[in-house]
Amino acid sequence: MPRTDILRAVETSAGSMGLAEKGFLWAFSWLDTRFRIQDYWGMSKDAYHHMHRQMPLTHAEKYKLRIIWYWYPLYCLGGISFLAFVILVISGTVLGLYYVPGGEGTPSPAYLSMEFIMVDLPFGYIMRSIHHWTTHFMVAAVFLHMCRVYFTGAYRNPRELNWLIGVALMFFTIFFGYSGYLLPWDSLAFGAATIGINMASSTPLVGSWMAKALFAGTTLSGQTVTRMYFLHVFILPVLVTGLILAHLFIVWVQGIAEPH
Ligand code: HEM
């Protein structure tokens, strides 16, 4: 309502309007002619009704996609991998307080310390189980995350670099699991180490160097478990943490790929 109309209403209502009402309307019309209060109020009401006219659209509706709302939970798999990594760091730190990385003798200090964690240490059994099962969980999540990225085509320009970082992460995640598997230094670990050292030794050209770097020699020894321990608790955590941070930073900069 224009200011003149408001003022006329104030004057003609004479006795029927109290002083407070008259004062309010006069002040309102004075402000309205200067700050367009009614206009802006109307505009924001229009905007509100425009936005809330219907239920919010789903992503697939908004972009007129013929696919795949049922893919969306799979977009959590990278986050799930990250969560698993955090749980592994925490539970691994607790295990590291009691584990002894020595492979000499039978039984070895490594084996005895695992036995201590499993049998004597309060909550040791559950801590090791959490570490063990979260490893399986992480390997599965990383693999499925990679499948999601592949099947939604999210590896394409401009995300090639993040795919390559992901390939390194997949490799290091598996190697993380393998190096941990050897640490109890029981017969299972010894068997797995035998396969591993043979694989490393048969690398073309650099086989013996590879065996020495990863297994602390061209044959298995008490040193092997100490070397695996160092890889497991220092080299790999530093590499994987750095790569995950770079990976997530790139996701943050580029945003998630739109499905199409
Ligand atoms: C430690 C392992 C990994 C972690 C913690 C991780 C974490 C993440 C997270 C949180 C995202 C955001 C989107 C989502 O969650 O789906 C993402 C996206 C992405 N990841 Fe990974 N990832 C890992 C391994 C991998 C692997 C193995 C690959 C492929 C070889 C990969 C390639 C990508 C690509 C290309 C994107 C961008 C996808 C898009 O924009 O939709 N990542 N990652």
Side-chain angles (χ1 to χ4, degrees), residues 74-83 85 138 142-143 145-146 148-149 152 154-156 159-160 162-171 173 240 244 247-248 251 254-258:
L74 304 181
Y75 282 67
C76 295
L77 285 163
I80 290 173
S81 311
F82 180 62
L83 181 66
F85 183 66
M138 179 168 172
V142 171
F143 178 73
H145 168 62
M146 185 177 73
R148 190 290 283 171
V149 168
T152 54
Y155 54 84
R156 284 183 286 210
R159 295 184 177 77
E160 306 92 330
N162 232 10
W163 173 265
L164 293 177
I165 293 177
V167 171
L169 279 170
M170 178 88 240
F171 174 78
T173 304
V240 170
I244 288 181
H247 196 67
L248 297 185
V251 171
Q254 299 187 325
I256 305 283
E258 298 280 354

Side-chain angles (χ1 to χ4, degrees), residues 175 178-179 182 185 189-201 203 207-228 231:
F175 194 64
Y178 176 76
S179 57
L182 301 196
W185 214 226
F190 200 83
T194 307
I195 296 171
I197 199 170
N198 285 330
M199 285 172 69
S201 306
T203 314
S208 82
W209 179 86
M210 194 67 114
K212 283 183 201 148
L214 298 178
F215 293 87
T218 45
T219 53
L220 296 180
S221 70
Q223 286 290 306
T224 303
V225 76
T226 315
R227 176 63 51 91
M228 278 296 151
L231 294 171

